[in-house]
Amino acid sequence: MGLDQIKDAIRSFALKEAGGVVSPLYEHLATKAAEDDEIAGLLTSARDGEARGTLLMATAHRLIQADPIHPLSRYYPSLGGFDGVDSETWPLFREFLLSREDKAREIIASRYTQTNEVRRAALLYPAVAQAAKEAGGKIALLEVGCSAGLLLGLDKFSYRYQADGGEQLTAGPAKAAVGLHCAIDAAPGAVLPKLPKKLNVVASVGLDRAPVDADDEEELAWLEACVWADQPDRIRLLRSAAAAQRKYKPEIVTGDAIDDLGKAVDRLPADAPLVVVTSHVLTYFQDRREEFIDALAALAGTRPLWWVSEEAYEGALKYLLPGRDDLAFEGAGALCVLGLTTWSDGKANARALARTAPHGQRMTWLG
């Protein structure tokens, strides 16, 4: 990827992902970085397809974690900083990164953006519950692009959904180590879902090209660095989920999402209905998205399968549910879509269940 394309990618990140009230710090830094050849140029060290604004921000976050007394840290709430963006933020950020250029390039060249956004479990739970209901109860769970596999514990988290008018929906074990909150509303004509108190997951496996061991402090630090620095509550949830996972550590298969899909499935009971989960993963597949969906369709010909997808419409459901411009990422206000897809005799039945905020903070139920 050339420098101009990298700058466009950073600019898009600032506008579409960090913009508005989502992350004032990252919006500011990415907007400036998109106009700075030296800072944007650091991403020329990234692997093919990985030159993203998120990777640049995560790299800086990891470096400031290692040097928390640097003046830049006062803008990083994740490190105890409480200053808002001002005229000194960008100059300090620029100087900090360029003075550590070799270290920054080393991280960028060797790392992927690893996102284990624990709050997304609150988005996935209603769809997984619907799949389990249709499957008759017991399910096997496979998460593709699982990173550290924290979302594989979604059946062990507790959930509280705050609806309009004060209504609350609850699910999951009452004394769970990880409790998640999510705002929920219903689109016109839709009825909020009825959620079971628990899921019967008989086995779970993750598949990732570069799995993260959350028991390794260095690896966990990278996961934390991938969380946006001005959203420390997300880091606290990440830590809580990582600690809870030590009691039910899932099996994670190292491999490609398409080429090694069968290998991961073989680790699950053959007689259990299979629920495959993806969350903000297909954006990284680029020109292999249809190939992945075809692989799921082929697998569905051998056993009952449900695909729960929480992705941008353009990256997933568009291929199975075309013509839904109302679900487009930009058209929907930078919201993703919670989808549930099954196959019968090779024909896909794809449903758009909800529009979802990218970090699990809210959802609009479509029914």
Side-chain angles (χ1 to χ4, degrees):
M1 184 182 289
L3 182 59
D4 286 343
Q5 290 175 295
I6 289 173
K7 292 167 73 173
D8 285 344
I10 298 173
R11 191 175 297 112
S12 177
F13 166 74
L15 179 65
K16 298 177 182 178
E17 298 183 54
V21 298
V22 176
S23 176
L25 176 64
Y26 280 14
E27 179 185 19
H28 174 73
L29 294 176
T31 298
K32 294 287 189 180
E35 307 303 326
D36 190 300
D37 287 359
E38 288 184 276
I39 295 297
L42 295 174
L43 285 177
T44 58
S45 296
R47 309 179 205 208
D48 289 346
E50 299 301 319
R52 305 171 186 274
T54 47
L55 182 57
L56 180 65
M57 295 299 118
T59 298
H61 197 183
R62 183 68 191 98
L63 290 172
I64 195 66
Q65 284 175 340
D67 190 4
I69 64 171
H70 190 280
L72 179 63
S73 67
R74 72 176 190 260
Y75 300 102
Y76 278 64
S78 60
L79 299 172
F82 52 82
D83 285 9
V85 170
D86 59 29
S87 61
E88 295 183 27
T89 311
W90 170 250
L92 279 171
F93 180 86
R94 188 177 191 278
E95 178 275 329
F96 177 81
L97 267 188
L98 293 181
S99 66
R100 294 159 179 79
E101 180 175 352
D102 290 346
K103 291 182 179 179
R105 287 187 178 276
E106 180 181 349
I107 293 172
I108 289 168
S110 61
R111 289 289 191 178
Y112 297 104
T113 305
Q114 297 275 11
T115 53
N116 254 195
E117 177 50 66
V118 179
R119 287 192 303 189
R120 288 179 188 151
L123 307 176
L124 297 169
Y125 188 91
V128 174
Q130 180 61 35
K133 180 181 178 181
E134 294 175 9
K138 296 180 180 180
I139 58 170
L141 192 63
L142 169 64
E143 184 188 3
V144 177
C146 67
S147 189
L150 300 184
L151 291 181
L152 288 169
L154 63 82
D155 60 316
K156 299 172 178 64
F157 304 157
S158 67
Y159 303 90
R160 186 174 299 276
Y161 299 87
Q162 186 67 50
D164 292 342
E167 180 184 1
Q168 288 189 347
L169 308 178
T170 60
K175 296 182 179 180
V178 177
L180 302 176
H181 294 76
C182 179
I184 188 170
D185 66 301
V191 178
L192 293 178
K194 294 182 180 180
L195 301 177
K197 291 301 180 183
K198 63 180 182 178
L199 296 174
N200 192 349
V201 179
V202 297
S204 58
V205 167
L207 174 62
D208 198 281
R209 60 183 173 178
V212 173
D213 182 358
D215 287 340
D216 184 307
E217 281 299 317
E218 178 61 30
E219 293 298 292
L220 185 58
W222 175 246
L223 282 183
E224 291 180 358
C226 290
V227 177
W228 298 5
D230 51 1
Q231 299 174 358
D233 57 319
R234 293 172 58 199
I235 294 179
R236 287 191 289 270
L237 274 176
L238 175 67
R239 281 273 177 182
S240 296
Q245 188 197 62
R246 296 186 183 107
K247 298 179 180 179
Y248 58 86
K249 199 166 182 66
E251 179 180 1
I252 299 179
V253 176
T254 301
D256 180 79
I258 299 166
D259 299 338
D260 297 301
L261 183 63
K263 181 171 71 172
V265 171
D266 287 344
R267 306 300 299 169
L268 294 163
D271 58 348
L274 176 62
V275 177
V276 178
V277 172
T278 65
S279 178
H280 293 252
V281 170
L282 269 69
T283 185
Y284 297 98
F285 288 8
Q286 299 178 4
D287 58 354
R288 299 190 75 194
R289 293 167 185 161
E290 288 185 275
E291 190 179 352
F292 174 71
I293 294 171
D294 289 343
L296 290 180
L299 191 58
T302 67
R303 62 187 295 169
L305 182 148
W306 286 255
W307 175 31
V308 173
S309 56
E310 199 268 313
E311 308 278 353
Y313 169 74
E314 295 85 343
L317 280 192
K318 177 181 178 181
Y319 299 99
L320 298 169
L321 200 63
R324 290 292 302 274
D325 293 342
D326 58 308
L327 300 177
F329 184 75
E330 294 183 37
L335 298 177
C336 294
V337 181
L338 179 65
L340 182 59
T341 303
T342 57
W343 284 264
S344 178
D345 297 325
K347 184 177 181 180
N349 175 28
R351 290 162 278 175
L353 299 183
R355 288 198 298 262
T356 58
H359 297 138
Q361 60 270 50
R362 68 183 188 279
M363 65 194 307
T364 296
W365 192 255
L366 304 176

